[in-house]
Amino acid sequence: MAAGHKTAAWPLALVYTGLIVYASLYPFDGWRSQGLDPLSFLFAPWPRYWTGFDVVSNLLGYAPLGFLLALGQLRGGVAGWRAFALAVATGALLSLALESLQIYLPRRVPSNVDFALNAAGAAAGALTAVLLERFGLLARWSRVRDAWLSLDARGALVLTALWPCALLFPAAVPFGLGQVLERVETAIAEGLVGTPFLEWLPLREVELQPLVPAAQLACVALGLLIPCLIGWSVIGARPKRSIFALLVFAAGIGASALSAALSWGPGATWAWLTPPVQAGVALAALLAACLLPLSGRGCAALALLALAVALSLLNQAPTSAYFAQTLQTWEQGRFIRFHGVAQWLGWLWPYAALIHLLVRLSRRERPLELPHD
């Protein structure tokens, strides 16, 4: 890795750890002590009933964490075997701590099988990172990164990596992340019930109105354009920007299709891609083509403006009854483990992007240290 580059592995590992904690302890209510040893699950008989979904989710859930932890160690100059051991130990200890805490939650059941699968998943991810390093593939990625991205690209890289994951939680408007006002108001009101502070809660003078078709089209277009602009703020060459935009469009459309399939079944994979959404995608492609020559700082400034406009439009509209039904599907059954993870990514990604762009624009402008085609 070139001198001056900071690896994105550590911030991604930190974010992923937070998501694992949330998914493991969700819904965080009903804490109680049963007088049991928190580690008693380790010596309990193996569960009589389990599903293939449970096995795959516990195994694959920790694999990215193991990969990122090992990658961060390798980037820091730690030897391969030691990076592997540290990553596996960290993943196993995290799983052990979370499984132990689940004994205090009535809706969660600690399991020695889950612990074993989590540790195995972390080991698989860490081994993948070590093997990629051993065969020189990580070094090749470093050379690609050096050729494509500026030295301060870590924040933009983390945001663009998390964006497709944020789209997995169903959005009322495709690519419309950050629509939180209505839910925040409801949560605050419910939390203040029975207290004198409820009277202090300001009432909205005008009820939220559904988005008109033009506003929906704009939200779709801006939702696709924003990650392109964030990436372009650290990419200089136009051909590389074009390739990056194609990857963003493919990732966004693919994640949205996967979200629809998870919510309603494979038959509804493309049901969300209605003519207005198609028009929004086409508009985003047209705007991206026109904005290719923009400077890196100009891309960051325009992304900040686009975020402000999109969030303003989305948070002036209520969620539909159809969307509420979709949320009920996610909040029940097997999706309960991923509900909080995807939900918080979908809610917070735009606001994390706002902070990143504000910090970036507050710094003194530096030219992109990139070869231009």
Side-chain angles (χ1 to χ4, degrees):
M1 186 171 61
H5 265 311
K6 296 181 179 180
T7 178
W10 288 123
L12 284 173
L14 182 62
V15 171
Y16 198 81
T17 299
L19 296 177
I20 287 178
V21 171
Y22 194 98
S24 299
L25 302 182
Y26 181 84
F28 295 95
D29 59 7
W31 293 85
R32 82 282 185 266
S33 174
Q34 300 183 84
L36 299 176
D37 184 344
L39 297 178
S40 60
F41 72 94
L42 286 174
F43 310 101
W46 281 38
R48 295 178 59 186
Y49 303 102
W50 50 271
T51 66
F53 179 83
D54 292 330
V55 172
V56 172
S57 62
N58 280 288
L59 187 64
L60 297 184
Y62 272 69
L65 178 64
F67 178 86
L68 292 170
L69 290 173
L71 179 60
Q73 297 285 345
L74 293 168
R75 292 302 196 205
V78 179
W81 66 268
R82 187 178 179 187
F84 172 81
L86 289 172
V88 174
T90 303
L93 287 174
L94 176 64
S95 177
L96 180 64
L98 294 176
E99 292 292 328
S100 299
L101 286 173
Q102 285 181 0
I103 204 168
Y104 300 105
L105 289 169
R107 296 176 63 181
R108 307 309 296 263
V109 180
S111 167
N112 46 17
V113 174
D114 289 352
F115 169 68
L117 289 171
N118 294 159
L127 180 62
T128 301
V130 171
L131 290 177
L132 290 176
E133 177 74 13
R134 180 67 57 87
F135 291 109
L137 295 179
L138 292 183
R140 183 174 300 177
W141 157 247
S142 295
R143 291 192 292 271
V144 171
R145 172 172 170 161
D146 294 342
W148 278 60
L149 306 176
S150 63
L151 295 178
D152 56 349
R154 182 169 63 170
L157 192 59
V158 170
L159 285 170
T160 52
L162 292 176
W163 179 70
C165 302
L167 292 176
L168 291 177
F169 187 72
V173 178
F175 313 113
L177 302 177
Q179 189 177 11
V180 299
L181 180 60
E182 187 178 20
R183 279 203 158 194
V184 168
E185 288 180 342
T186 302
I188 293 176
E190 291 176 351
L192 295 179
V193 170
T195 72
F197 301 107
L198 183 61
E199 298 180 0
W200 295 6
L201 190 66
L203 298 177
R204 197 186 309 110
E205 295 182 0
V206 180
E207 287 297 320
L208 298 176
Q209 300 297 319
L211 289 175
V212 298
Q216 292 180 358
L217 187 149
C219 288
V220 171
L222 292 176
L224 267 176
L225 185 64
I226 287 166
C228 290
L229 292 171
I230 292 175
W232 289 355
S233 68
V234 295
I235 299 174
R238 294 186 195 179
K240 293 171 183 175
R241 284 185 171 186
S242 300
I243 295 173
F244 179 80
L246 290 175
L247 293 175
V248 166
F249 275 57
I253 293 172
S256 299
L258 178 59
S259 176
L262 290 174
S263 300
W264 301 105
T269 300
W270 302 107
W272 60 277
L273 200 57
T274 59
V277 175
Q278 295 177 28
V281 173
L283 177 60
L286 178 61
L287 291 173
C290 295
L291 296 173
L292 274 175
L294 201 62
S295 68
R297 193 172 182 84
C299 288
L302 191 57
L304 184 63
L305 176 61
L307 268 170
V309 172
L311 289 172
S312 176
L313 289 174
L314 287 168
N315 285 290
Q316 290 177 19
T319 56
S320 64
Y322 174 85
F323 180 62
Q325 185 179 357
T326 305
L327 294 187
Q328 288 181 357
T329 303
W330 271 75
E331 292 170 358
Q332 297 174 12
R334 65 185 185 183
F335 291 124
I336 189 172
R337 296 192 178 187
F338 307 104
H339 171 257
V341 176
Q343 170 183 270
W344 282 100
L345 275 177
W347 283 356
L348 297 182
W349 187 91
Y351 303 98
L354 278 174
I355 295 172
H356 164 76
L357 293 168
L358 285 171
V359 171
R360 183 175 182 83
L361 291 170
S362 67
R363 297 172 182 164
R364 181 176 300 179
E365 184 175 8
R366 295 187 302 176
L368 291 173
E369 300 180 28
L370 295 165
H372 289 269
D373 296 351

